[in-house]
Amino acid sequence: PPHGVSIKSFWPGAVAMARMLLGLSCVVAFKPYDPCSAVTCGNLVCPGGFTSTTTPGHCCPYCENPNIKLERQILSEPSIHEKPPSSDAPSSCSGVRCFSLVCKKNQYPGPPVSGGCCNVCRDGARP
């Protein structure tokens, strides 16, 4: 504190100044963004056995059948449609499973796009 000023009178001002400098005295209110605010849901008509279901975090309802149980299937055996990553793929692609390509006429299976793991269909004749 300056000469002749007691610490008791100086301290509250110093604390207030520190809070101001550190932004501790400022309170900024942020309004949360609602991602569904600009979404207009259509008129949903569910087929027989399905009911309209609303789920927290989803903007619109969707049709769901409570009698259908979905199970996640994990491939443990190789598929006849499975191919290894491209020989041009980065080492980070180790363990990736690619599909056999069926390219359109005038296309050929070519190397992946930059950083990709699997071959892609390329336009033109095979080089």
Side-chain angles (χ1 to χ4, degrees), residues 85-86 88-97 113-118:
S86 170
D88 299 320
S91 60
S92 60
C93 293
S94 176
V96 169
R97 295 176 172 186
V113 294
S114 179
C117 296
C118 302

Side-chain angles (χ1 to χ4, degrees), residues 26-83:
C26 298
V27 177
V28 179
F30 290 99
K31 183 178 179 185
Y33 173 72
D34 178 11
C36 297
S37 63
V39 175
T40 302
C41 299
N43 183 22
L44 183 65
V45 178
C46 297
F50 288 78
T51 57
S52 177
T53 303
T54 55
T55 303
H58 293 230
C59 295
C60 299
Y62 53 90
C63 296
E64 185 177 63
N65 187 331
N67 297 320
I68 298 175
K69 302 295 179 206
L70 298 178
E71 294 180 23
R72 184 174 180 192
Q73 183 177 8
I74 299 173
L75 290 177
S76 57
E77 298 296 321
S79 166
I80 61 169
H81 304 290
E82 183 181 324
K83 296 290 181 194

Side-chain angles (χ1 to χ4, degrees), residues 92-104:
S92 60
C93 293
S94 176
V96 169
R97 295 176 172 186
C98 299
F99 287 102
S100 299
L101 291 176
V102 179
C103 297
K104 295 189 292 186

